[in-house]
Amino acid sequence: MQVAPTTEELLEIHGRIRACVACRLHVTRTQAVPGYGPVEARIMAVGEAPGEKEDRQGRPFVGAAGTLLTELVESIGLTRRDIYITNTVRCRPPGNRDPQPDEVEACSHFLDETIALLRPDVILILGRHALQRLLPESAGITRFHGQRVVRDDRVYVPLYHPAAALYNGSLRETLFADMQRVRGYLDEAEAVRGPRVRPEHAVSQREHDQLSLFAL
Ligand code: SF4
């Protein structure tokens, strides 16, 4: 049995992200998009960068790609409330261009801190930018999708980015097939580690939402 970190610890990281001016993306953002999900999440998804809707709403994966991500999560018996979702960079690149290497580098420590705090069993790597950041030595999504890489006692699974599968039926089928493998990886991790419990002083998800809004 593992004890989950507290929501306050997660919100402390979120607060620093919202105030961050470490790269040029802070100039053009409406707001930073730190991430969203419960502290006891055993599964985490890391995408590329916030898009226009995410920049406006302050939450990751709220557009069409977010809807597909929800379907993927639900296809393995979970809900969006079971997964912590974030991005490689936390501020929207203007015009949805690719994040630049120095921007990814400037934002890196936030992702490292979040992973270290949440200690997820499985990390879904959504698309090539997240793959370059988390497994830079890997062969690429096309060859590598759905396979697991164990690093620091944690399972990483590269997947096609949901946005790439929106208008590509074959990629969509591949994504759903890969998610079934993720279900197996999660079950294996849970069998080894046991259930995760919330600390007694942790606040609820509803309180988390309120605190997140308040922190905006
Ligand atoms: Fe800071 Fe990351 Fe936003 Fe750049 S992208 S300003 S490093 S939070």
Side-chain angles (χ1 to χ4, degrees), residues 17 20-23 25-26 29 32 89-91 103 106-107 110:
I17 292 170
C20 179
V21 292
C23 83
L25 295 182
H26 85 276
R29 73 185 178 205
V89 296
R90 314 301 177 93
C91 301
E103 295 159 357
C107 217
F110 288 130

Side-chain angles (χ1 to χ4, degrees), residues 42-54:
R42 309 203 66 151
I43 180 167
M44 179 173 177
V46 182
E48 176 183 329
E52 187 183 1
K53 283 188 178 163
E54 289 82 7

Side-chain angles (χ1 to χ4, degrees), residues 2 10 34 37 47-48 76 84 95 109 140 152 170 175 177 187 211:
Q2 289 184 308
L10 183 59
E48 176 183 329
I76 60 168
Y84 183 85
H109 67 99
D152 300 328
S170 142
L175 258 177
D187 290 344
L211 283 167

Side-chain angles (χ1 to χ4, degrees), residues 95-147:
N96 291 346
R97 66 158 169 75
D98 289 348
Q100 301 297 304
D102 62 324
E103 295 159 357
V104 173
E105 177 62 30
C107 217
S108 280
H109 67 99
F110 288 130
L111 186 55
D112 293 340
E113 285 182 59
T114 309
I115 291 172
L117 178 70
L118 299 185
R119 305 187 308 276
D121 292 332
V122 174
I123 297 179
L124 307 180
I125 301 175
L126 305 179
R128 67 187 170 90
H129 290 284
L131 185 60
Q132 280 167 6
R133 165 65 183 85
L134 288 166
L135 298 175
E137 75 288 359
S138 70
I141 293 279
T142 307
R143 284 186 53 196
F144 216 29
H145 65 87
Q147 297 179 41

